[in-house]
Amino acid sequence: MDNQCPHAGAATKIHSATSITSRRLSNKHLPGPPGHRIMGSYPEFAKDRNKFLREAIRRYGDVCRIQLPLRDLIVLGNPEDVHRVMDDTSGDYSKFGNYHPAMAKRQNGLSFIEGEIFRERRRIVSPLVTRDGLKSTFQANVDAYLDTLDANIGEATDADGVTDLQEAIFQTLLRGVLKQTYTESFTAKEMRELHEGMATFTKLLGSTLKIADPPNLVRPWGPYKIRPWTVLSAAKIVKDRVVERQNSPALGTYGDVLDGMVLGYKKLKTPMTFWDLCFDVATMTSASYGTTAGAITQTVVRTLLDAEATDRVVEECGTIDLSQPSVDSVRSLRWVRACFEESIRMQGFPLLLRFTAVGGNLQGLDIAPNTMLGAPISAIHRDLRWWTDPDTFDPNRFYDNSKRVDQPRLLHFLAWGAGPHRCTGAQLGYLIAPYLVGLILSRYRVEIPPNWTFREETGLAPTIKGGFRVRLTRR
Ligand code: HEM
């Protein structure tokens, strides 16, 4: 899978806020649900974001205005428009609205910047988890999974023998992510703080981006804790590791992601602050954790709900040595990969946001400058115009060419995003996710309680609401 930005060489122009080309200064002319006086459509949107967005596109068309408190959201239902916006490198559309001159001059985290300073940093980070870095990061994850999966399952099992498999998957992924990023080990307390801190940060960021509900700060306990102060503890742990590494005489010999980032960032033409470095290290840690653990859990669950798909996973995994996998042997697991791709197509990732600088025209409709645009990933992934029988889990659509949709599939499959900010870790994700799914389903028989129903917690890292409580026996 090509992970490079297709426009890597294109020149960037960051517009000033005054270079307006759209004829409109507001989006009030755009079609969309009428909404309530102050809250707009927020109550209906927050109740079920994906259902609401799907219905809004169906009723009002592919450029649809959703009125929300403070700021409207313009949703794009056509993948061609989504690509036009997300593949843009001209500065007309950006991830966090840095069209503003003040924002454009500022340094910031990798995910918050555009233009040449972004591309320079991305050229350092990408190879750490692709090309040369792919084999070693994959191996670090495999070592951690083989060392800790059984113990994590034991930890997540209660006195009645019921295991929260989602919790065990998150804990196993955490070990992998930490091992690929930091060679040094972590105490149990540090790991707990990192786990909670990253989960809380993902939830807070998700709610800021309107992707998830605000965290429940009134009742911040239970197995899936949201405790804002843990973000600070996790940030401190990352910061201390960065300082230690910067001062280490052995810098350059660790062979982990942190080494590559500390060394690589020293060579940047555009100087960056110490805090930007810490922020990027934290982004690489948390971006590879929650989304992947959530996606793996969902793949395990959706596959298990289809007995034939599960049998094929187990059978296919029998063709390779799971205790000593290589990049090529995992890539040969085409059915497991298809189950993973089909699951990330179906999962409820509601929106990727971009902002217009100078406005634009999509589907013949003028869009005002400084507009928040949303690519409704889940709605596009379940749109009957692009997918046949979209609510059915059918890995064959990613396995068998004859069962693919007529139009170019890549355009409609947006699970990794698109354009310059497309997921940096997609190649790694395509290895660690099928591997861990295969390892779990080949090692364990899973008994799902008969009355269990699939309830999804949508967000930046869609998970199973309340966990996945099952009985496991060794095969
Ligand atoms: C199934 C697993 C994963 C999924 C579904 C996923 C999905 C995504 C998506 C949709 C974006 C684009 C966000 C946007 O455009 O606004 C993204 C960005 C990102 N992902 Fe992933 N991701 C996964 C795993 C990983 C892994 C394993 C890494 C490891 C390094 C990673 C690192 C990143 C980073 C650093 C970004 C920010 C890129 C940027 O802003 O330039 N992700 N991911």
Side-chain angles (χ1 to χ4, degrees):
M1 173 69 57
D2 181 15
N3 200 35
Q4 297 307 299
C5 158
H7 308 287
T12 297
K13 60 176 194 281
I14 302 289
H15 293 277
S16 82
T18 51
S19 57
I20 296 163
T21 57
S22 172
R23 285 182 290 122
R24 304 265 188 178
L25 284 172
S26 99
N27 292 310
K28 291 207 168 104
H29 60 291
L30 297 176
H36 310 282
R37 186 182 290 210
I38 295 171
M39 296 300 281
S41 295
Y42 189 77
E44 294 81 10
F45 172 72
K47 201 165 161 205
D48 186 338
R49 288 170 172 75
N50 290 321
K51 194 166 156 221
F52 177 82
L53 293 173
R54 219 172 149 181
E55 184 57 22
I57 292 164
R58 200 185 59 74
R59 266 186 87 176
Y60 298 99
D62 282 335
V63 177
C64 172
R65 173 180 169 232
I66 312 293
Q67 297 177 50
L68 296 175
L70 303 180
R71 188 166 204 168
D72 291 352
L73 167 73
I74 308 301
V75 175
L76 308 176
N78 190 312
E80 280 182 25
D81 293 327
V82 171
H83 277 276
R84 199 168 138 197
V85 166
M86 292 184 54
D87 292 350
D88 175 77
T89 54
S90 72
D92 285 350
Y93 304 98
S94 66
K95 201 163 163 181
F96 283 97
N98 73 344
Y99 62 88
H100 195 278
M103 193 75 177
K105 283 201 193 80
R106 264 190 63 192
Q107 285 290 295
N108 222 321
L110 178 78
S111 259
F112 296 82
I113 52 174
E114 306 287 345
E116 189 46 39
I117 51 168
F118 162 72
R119 283 193 289 273
E120 214 194 337
R121 265 199 246 171
R122 181 97 181 197
R123 278 195 292 269
I124 288 166
V125 169
S126 260
L128 301 173
V129 285
T130 58
R131 294 180 247 155
D132 298 346
L134 186 62
K135 204 170 153 208
S136 59
T137 41
F138 171 60
Q139 194 57 51
N141 278 281
V142 167
D143 292 346
Y145 303 166
L146 290 172
D147 281 353
T148 67
L149 176 64
D150 290 341
N152 292 329
I153 284 179
E155 286 276 305
T157 303
D158 66 18
D160 297 329
V162 176
T163 307
D164 182 352
L165 191 51
Q166 174 162 271
E167 178 65 15
I169 290 173
F170 267 76
Q171 290 301 332
T172 306
L173 245 289
L174 179 65
R175 270 53 173 196
V177 167
L178 295 183
K179 197 162 180 143
Q180 88 190 12
T181 316
Y182 316 88
T183 302
E184 304 88 347
S185 57
F186 289 83
T187 64
K189 180 170 174 279
E190 284 174 325
M191 273 194 275
R192 206 171 44 249
E193 285 174 349
L194 283 166
H195 171 62
E196 289 181 12
M198 286 192 277
T200 306
F201 180 74
T202 306
K203 189 103 185 167
L204 288 169
L205 186 64
S207 64
T208 312
L209 301 178
K210 305 194 188 307
I211 294 170
D213 293 333
N216 183 352
L217 302 177
V218 185
R219 201 174 63 85
W221 58 80
Y224 296 96
K225 300 180 186 78
I226 293 299
R227 303 194 293 190
W229 59 91
T230 57
V231 177
L232 295 178
S233 322
K236 185 173 178 320
I237 295 170
V238 173
K239 186 207 99 185
D240 290 347
R241 293 292 156 125
V242 173
V243 172
E244 261 171 47
R245 190 61 68 88
Q246 280 184 320
N247 297 329
S248 166
L251 177 67
T253 63
Y254 292 88
D256 55 18
V257 169
L258 180 59
D259 226 33
M261 291 182 78
V262 173
L263 270 182
Y265 279 22
K266 278 179 191 276
K267 296 177 198 143
L268 285 173
K269 278 197 232 103
T270 323
M272 64 187 296
T273 66
F274 167 73
W275 291 109
D276 289 336
L277 170 62
C278 292
F279 196 80
D280 281 5
V281 173
T283 302
M284 283 296 277
T285 314
S286 68
S288 52
Y289 176 43
T291 33
T292 319
I296 290 173
T297 309
Q298 291 221 11
T299 309
V300 167
V301 175
R302 289 184 205 278
T303 308
L304 280 168
L305 294 172
D306 179 334
E308 205 187 313
T310 309
D311 289 348
R312 278 183 77 175
V313 166
V314 176
E315 192 185 316
E316 189 176 65
C317 287
T319 62
I320 72 163
D321 182 357
L322 286 173
S323 64
Q324 279 185 318
S326 64
V327 167
D328 288 340
S329 71
V330 173
R331 281 189 177 146
S332 75
L333 301 175
R334 285 187 51 234
W335 178 254
V336 193
R337 177 184 161 126
C339 292
F340 168 61
E341 285 196 295
E342 174 65 342
S343 182
I344 55 176
R345 177 189 72 79
M346 290 188 79
Q347 71 180 17
F349 189 107
L351 287 165
L352 287 175
L353 298 183
R354 293 294 184 269
F355 294 82
T356 61
V358 291
N361 187 287
L362 297 167
Q363 303 283 325
L365 294 164
D366 278 339
I367 315 274
N370 190 16
T371 293
M372 179 164 72
L373 299 173
I377 304 301
S378 179
I380 290 176
H381 282 175
R382 289 181 183 235
D383 192 319
L384 281 162
R385 289 175 293 174
W386 333 114
W387 303 91
T388 314
D389 202 5
D391 294 332
T392 300
F393 177 75
D394 179 9
N396 271 309
R397 51 177 121 232
F398 290 94
Y399 185 78
D400 181 348
N401 277 341
S402 68
K403 295 195 176 162
R404 286 182 175 173
V405 278
D406 305 337
Q407 300 173 48
R409 182 170 60 87
L410 201 60
L411 202 64
H412 311 123
F413 183 61
L414 289 153
W416 307 97
H421 284 284
R422 184 178 185 273
C423 179
T424 324
Q427 287 189 19
L428 183 62
Y430 272 123
L431 289 176
I432 57 180
Y435 176 70
L436 190 54
V437 169
L439 189 66
I440 291 169
L441 295 183
S442 316
R443 238 183 222 189
Y444 293 97
R445 267 182 223 289
V446 184
E447 192 192 321
I448 307 175
N451 54 355
W452 188 81
T453 46
F454 189 109
R455 285 191 310 137
E456 189 179 33
E457 172 111 42
T458 60
L460 214 51
T463 50
I464 307 292
K465 222 175 220 164
F468 183 47
R469 294 173 199 286
V470 288
R471 285 185 189 278
L472 299 178
T473 41
R474 274 302 273 238
R475 278 186 191 271

